[in-house]
C-alpha cells in the first residue's frame, strides 16, 4: 500500500513538473515566435551578465502587485551608460510593461517598481547601452490574474486623487553622488480587463502612459508605460544633483490628461 501511494505521489510530481516545463516552453515560444522580432527585429541580444540584473519573486502572492528590481552592473558615465531598459512580461496581454530611459545624470540605471503578471511567465529586462548594444536577463514568475484583478481601492475615491504625486528622496548619496528617489503616482491604472463589481461590465482602460523627470530642466529619467504596471505606480530611480534645485515630474495618462509635480531639492530636505 505504501508503495502504491509513493508511486501516485511521484506520478503527480512528474505531471506537475511536465506542466510547468510545458508552460515555460510555451512562453519561450511566444518570445522567439513574435515578441523578440516585434520589439527588436533582427538585432543581436547579448547575455546580460555583468550589465543588468533582475530581482523578482519566483512565486508572487498577488499577481496584481509583483515587485521587481533592476540593477545595473556599472555606474552611468558620459563614456558608457545604459540608455534604455525594456521590461517585458511574455504572456501578459500587453507584454511590454515599460520602456525606461536614463542619462549619465541618472548616476545609476537602477529601477524598482511593481508590475502585473497575468499568468505564469518569464519576466525579461533588455538593456540598451549608449553604443547601441542590447543585453538581456530574465526570471520566471509564477503568478495569475494580475491584469483582471479588481482595483485594490475604491474607484471613486481613487479618481478624486487622480494624478497626485509625491517624491521621496533619500539624502544619503553614495560615492558616485547619486541620490535614491521614489516617485509615487496616485492612479488606478485600469487595464480594461477589470469588471465593475455591481454592473459586471468591463471598466474602460485608463492608465499612466508617459513619465518625464527632470532636475533644473535637465532630463534624468523618463518612461513610456502601460497596463502591466500596477495600480498607483511607484518608481524608484536615481539622479545626480550637483547643486540644489527643482526636481519636476510630468506625467500623461491614456486620456491625454497631464499632471505636474515640482519640489525643491536641497541636501537637507529628504521628503516632499
Amino acid at each position: 500500500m505504501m508503495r502504491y501511494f509513493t508511486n501516485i505521489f511521484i506520478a503527480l510530481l512528474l505531471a506537475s513538473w511536465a506542466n510547468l516545463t510545458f508552460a515555460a516552453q510555451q512562453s519561450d515560444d511566444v518570445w522567439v515566435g513574435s515578441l523578440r522580432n516585434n520589439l527588436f527585429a533582427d538585432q543581436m541580444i547579448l547575455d546580460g551578465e555583468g550589465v543588468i540584473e533582475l530581482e523578482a519573486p519566483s512565486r508572487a502572492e498577488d499577481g496584481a502587485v509583483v515587485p521587481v528590481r533592476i540593477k545595473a552592473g556599472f555606474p552611468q558615465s558620459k563614456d558608457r551608460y545604459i540608455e534604455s531598459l525594456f521590461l517585458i512580461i511574455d504572456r501578459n496581454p500587453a507584454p511590454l510593461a515599460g520602456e525606461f530611459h536614463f542619462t549619465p545624470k541618472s548616476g545609476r540605471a537602477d529601477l524598482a517598481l511593481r508590475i502585473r503578471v497575468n499568468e505564469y511567465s518569464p519576466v525579461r529586462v533588455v538593456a540598451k547601452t549608449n553604443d547601441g548594444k542590447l543585453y538581456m536577463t530574465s526570471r520566471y514568475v509564477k503568478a495569475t490574474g494580475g491584469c483582471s484583478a479588481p482595483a485594490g481601492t475604491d474607484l471613486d475615491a481613487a479618481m478624486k486623487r487622480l494624478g497626485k504625486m509625491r517624491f521621496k528622496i533619500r539624502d544619503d548619496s553614495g560615492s558616485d553622488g547619486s541620490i535614491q528617489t521614489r516617485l509615487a503616482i496616485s492612479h488606478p491604472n485600469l487595464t480594461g480587463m477589470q469588471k465593475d463589481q455591481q454592473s459586471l461590465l468591463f471598466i474602460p482602460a485608463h492608465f499612466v502612459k508617459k513619465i518625464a523627470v527632470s532636475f533644473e530642466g535637465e532630463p534624468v529619467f523618463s518612461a513610456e508605460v502601460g497596463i502591466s504596471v500596477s495600480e498607483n505606480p511607484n518608481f524608484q530611480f536615481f539622479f545626480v544633483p550637483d547643486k540644489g534645485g527643482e526636481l519636476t515630474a510630468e506625467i500623461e495618462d491614456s486620456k491625454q490628461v497631464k499632471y505636474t509635480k515640482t519640489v525643491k531639492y536641497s541636501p537637507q530636505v529628504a521628503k516632499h
Side-chain angles (χ1 to χ4, degrees), residues 29 42 46 57 67 116 124 168 171 178 194 202 215 240 247 254:
D29 289 345
D42 58 354
L46 304 170
R116 293 176 166 119
R124 305 175 191 269
K168 183 176 182 180
D171 193 23
S178 60
Q194 298 147 315
F202 285 104
F215 182 66
V240 181
L247 185 65
S254 57

Side-chain angles (χ1 to χ4, degrees), residues 87-108:
L87 180 57
I88 302 154
I89 307 155
D90 284 18
R91 300 196 66 81
N92 266 18
L96 182 59
E99 184 175 340
F100 306 89
H101 310 290
F102 304 85
T103 75
K105 292 293 290 184
S106 301
R108 301 182 228 171

Side-chain angles (χ1 to χ4, degrees), residues 136-190:
M136 185 176 75
T137 189
S138 66
R139 293 289 181 271
Y140 194 78
V141 176
K142 300 174 185 176
T144 57
C147 295
S148 57
T153 56
D154 178 77
L155 188 55
D156 290 335
M159 295 305 290
K160 291 178 182 178
R161 300 191 302 271
L162 194 69
K164 291 185 180 297
M165 288 181 272
R166 183 172 184 267
F167 278 111
K168 183 176 182 180
I169 304 170
R170 284 188 58 180
D171 193 23
D172 52 350
S173 60
S175 58
D176 59 359
S178 60
I179 302 290
Q180 186 185 99
T181 307
R182 187 176 292 277
L183 174 64
I185 304 169
S186 183
H187 202 292
N189 249 34
L190 299 168

Side-chain angles (χ1 to χ4, degrees), residues 31 34-41 43 86 88 95-96:
W31 170 250
S34 58
L35 269 181
R36 189 198 186 289
N37 288 337
N38 289 341
L39 293 172
F40 306 108
Q43 295 179 75
F86 302 83
I88 302 154
L96 182 59

Side-chain angles (χ1 to χ4, degrees), residues 236-248:
Q236 180 183 292
F237 56 94
F238 290 82
F239 79 104
V240 181
D242 51 11
K243 58 182 178 180
E246 289 189 338
L247 185 65
T248 300

Side-chain angles (χ1 to χ4, degrees), residues 85 96-101 208-211 222-226 229:
L85 295 175
L96 182 59
E99 184 175 340
F100 306 89
H101 310 290
V208 172
K209 193 173 181 180
K210 296 179 181 179
I211 303 157
S222 63
E224 297 86 43
V225 292
V229 173

